Amino acid sequence: MSGHPTPPPGARPAPLPAVPRPRRPRRADPDPIDRLAEQHREFIAAAVHPDEIAALLESDGISDDRTRARYGCRNSFALAEELYERVERTHPEPAGPAPDPWRIGLLGCLLRGVVFALPGLAYVLGAPLLAGPRDGSGLPAGTVPLLAGALCGWMWNQGLAHRAYSWLALGDRDACRRSLARGAPVGALLCTTVACLAAGDGDPGAVAFATGEACYLGAATVLLVLGRERALLHCLTPMTAGALFALVRPVPDWSGLTLLTASLVAVVLLAVHEVAPALRESGARGRRPGSVTLLGVPGGAPERGPAAPRLAASLPYAVFGLGTGVLVLYATLGEVIAHGGGTAAAPAAVALTLSMGPAEWLLYRFRSGGLAGLRSTSTPAAFWRATSVTLVQCLAGYLATLLVLAHATAALWPEAPDLDGVHLAGLLLLGAVLWTGLLLQSFGAVLGAAVVCCATAAAQTLALATHPGDPHGIGLLVYGVAAALQAGLVCGLLGRATAHR
């Protein structure tokens, strides 16, 4: 009874139950969203918004239906947000050096400085037109009409150049040419009129010289705005060669005046040639049958182009030109004007004029340094410190250049006045006023520079009229105050990123 039961004959033994074995897990399929993220990882990592990724998905043909079926998202925008969250942000630096629109060659700026200074040699060849006794105030013959015409020309052509550059900034070179073609003759006529009124009944030779000076200033403005410095330099070659020869050996009056006239005619003709295409196109458009130039085009649809620059926007630049012109005038002729005699500081004027080339290059260097500071700093305080260092370096470089030029011109100029500490300090302070004024112009804060320079010129005029005994001491004081005021304006703008645009 206690043994195993005997199976009936022919019966098969029952099988033992199977021992369960662990199953080998199958490898899970990769997440399709992860696979898509890996495929476009570089683009997704650099994206700043999910919409950029959505645009990429749509360009790859991933529709909303495919997005729902394959990726389990309701649409491509939801898929883009998911990809944006899964991939870490990395913004790689651009390949190669960063673009710098302020990089400019030094040679071109130096050439402009030379072109600014060379017209001063015209006074050597034009001396016969300025011969004569001193006027009633003790000034050399022709001084008043020449200075009046020059100041008017500086003011007018500064404003004209700004308006022309504004058209260039809008991409309308023809409008720039038309603006120059209309403004330069008007400016020459205005300057000639001012010189005639200043001369009164006398000094016909000075009036003739002032007329040529006015024509040259207008034509040179055209060529400089249009980037034809080299051509202008070539046109000045006869006058330059004749003046340098006249400094060594006397030349007949007729030959000097002939060379002077030849250079003037060449400059004027070249300026007319530069603006002629725009004038021909404007004339052809005006003669076109059925055209309405001012009101619109046939069919009643008005002719619309880029908005014209406001005339009032160029006024502060003209006022700045007048103020700086008066300051340079006093630096050169302050002693002559105050005492009715003495020696003009012509080397100082030449040094200032030549320094405008390096000044322009250093302004570009400062703007380039400001752009680099925007890239390398992350806080306003750090950016202000970086631009302050660049400002000090560029201003020191300009003043060092002006110092070298002042000593060089004083050494080369025959019978030049002594360059003592007061003269040199006043010249360097005036250089600081001019350079910081140009910097404020580039910041778009020309109104502040114009107010400071004109107020300084008015203060110096009043001081010389009431206390004419020490013109250089007065200049030192007013230049120092103006430089400090403009330096304060510059420092207030250094930390603003919008000022460096």
Side-chain angles (χ1 to χ4, degrees), residues 104-117 350-365 398 401 405 435 438:
I104 190 173
L106 176 60
L107 184 59
C109 294
L110 294 178
L111 177 63
R112 290 174 72 89
V114 172
V115 168
F116 293 154
V350 174
L352 280 171
T353 308
L354 287 173
S355 72
M356 288 298 102
E360 182 181 7
W361 184 76
L362 287 168
L363 280 174
Y364 276 95
R365 291 292 300 170
Y398 170 69
T401 303
L405 289 174
W435 196 83
L438 294 175

Side-chain angles (χ1 to χ4, degrees), residues 383-410:
F383 175 63
W384 190 89
R385 288 192 296 269
T387 52
S388 298
V389 172
T390 307
L391 172 65
V392 171
Q393 291 174 346
C394 292
L395 181 57
Y398 170 69
L399 295 180
T401 303
L402 180 58
L403 179 64
V404 172
L405 289 174
H407 282 290
T409 53

Side-chain angles (χ1 to χ4, degrees), residues 174-190:
D174 288 337
C176 170
R177 287 193 173 104
R178 288 193 297 270
S179 178
L180 292 170
R182 296 165 184 166
V186 173
L189 180 61
L190 178 63

Side-chain angles (χ1 to χ4, degrees), residues 410-436:
L412 297 175
W413 199 273
E415 300 180 359
D418 295 334
L419 195 63
D420 56 14
V422 175
H423 287 76
L424 194 57
L427 180 63
L428 294 179
L429 285 174
L430 178 56
V433 171
L434 296 179
W435 196 83
T436 53

Side-chain angles (χ1 to χ4, degrees), residues 45-344:
V48 296
H49 195 274
D51 287 352
E52 296 182 49
I53 306 171
L56 174 67
L57 298 177
E58 292 180 357
S59 67
D60 285 348
I62 301 179
S63 62
D64 289 346
D65 294 337
R66 184 180 174 186
T67 300
R68 284 189 291 269
R70 185 169 182 179
Y71 301 104
C73 298
R74 65 181 183 277
N75 53 36
S76 59
F77 290 97
L79 176 59
E81 292 177 359
E82 183 68 24
L83 292 171
Y84 187 81
E85 292 177 358
R86 293 194 183 192
V87 178
E88 184 181 358
R89 306 268 69 73
T90 57
H91 301 288
E93 292 293 330
D100 187 358
W102 299 106
R103 190 172 298 277
I104 190 173
L106 176 60
L107 184 59
C109 294
L110 294 178
L111 177 63
R112 290 174 72 89
V114 172
V115 168
F116 293 154
L118 282 181
L121 294 174
Y123 292 92
V124 178
L125 298 180
L129 297 177
L130 306 175
R134 293 179 177 268
D135 58 17
S137 58
L139 297 176
T143 300
V144 174
L146 285 181
L147 294 182
L151 289 176
C152 181
W154 287 339
M155 179 182 66
W156 179 270
N157 289 296
Q158 280 280 345
L160 176 62
H162 173 262
R163 183 162 179 80
Y165 278 123
S166 299
W167 279 116
L168 284 180
L170 293 174
D172 196 341
R173 195 171 183 85
D174 288 337
C176 170
R177 287 193 173 104
R178 288 193 297 270
S179 178
L180 292 170
R182 296 165 184 166
V186 173
L189 180 61
L190 178 63
C191 296
T192 302
T193 303
V194 170
C196 291
L197 293 176
D201 297 331
D203 292 332
V207 171
F209 192 95
T211 302
E213 178 185 66
C215 294
Y216 172 80
L217 288 175
T221 300
V222 172
L223 297 176
L224 290 172
V225 169
L226 296 178
R228 298 301 308 276
E229 295 90 351
R230 294 182 183 274
L232 177 58
L233 181 62
H234 294 157
C235 292
L236 294 176
T237 300
M239 182 269 298
T240 304
L244 292 177
F245 185 80
L247 291 174
V248 179
R249 296 185 59 183
V251 297
D253 293 347
W254 64 268
S255 62
L257 295 177
T258 300
L259 292 174
L260 192 60
T261 305
S263 289
L264 175 62
V265 171
V267 172
V268 172
L269 290 179
L270 181 60
V272 172
H273 174 73
E274 288 296 321
V275 299
L279 295 179
R280 286 195 297 266
E281 181 181 350
S282 179
R285 188 166 53 247
R287 293 190 301 269
R288 192 174 301 152
S291 66
V292 183
T293 305
L294 296 179
L295 299 180
V297 295
E303 183 180 6
R304 301 187 65 86
R310 294 182 300 110
L311 286 173
S314 300
L315 182 60
Y317 292 86
V319 175
F320 176 77
L322 176 62
T324 54
V326 173
L327 294 179
V328 174
L329 167 67
Y330 282 139
T332 308
L333 301 174
E335 185 175 349
V336 177
I337 294 174
H339 301 150
T343 304

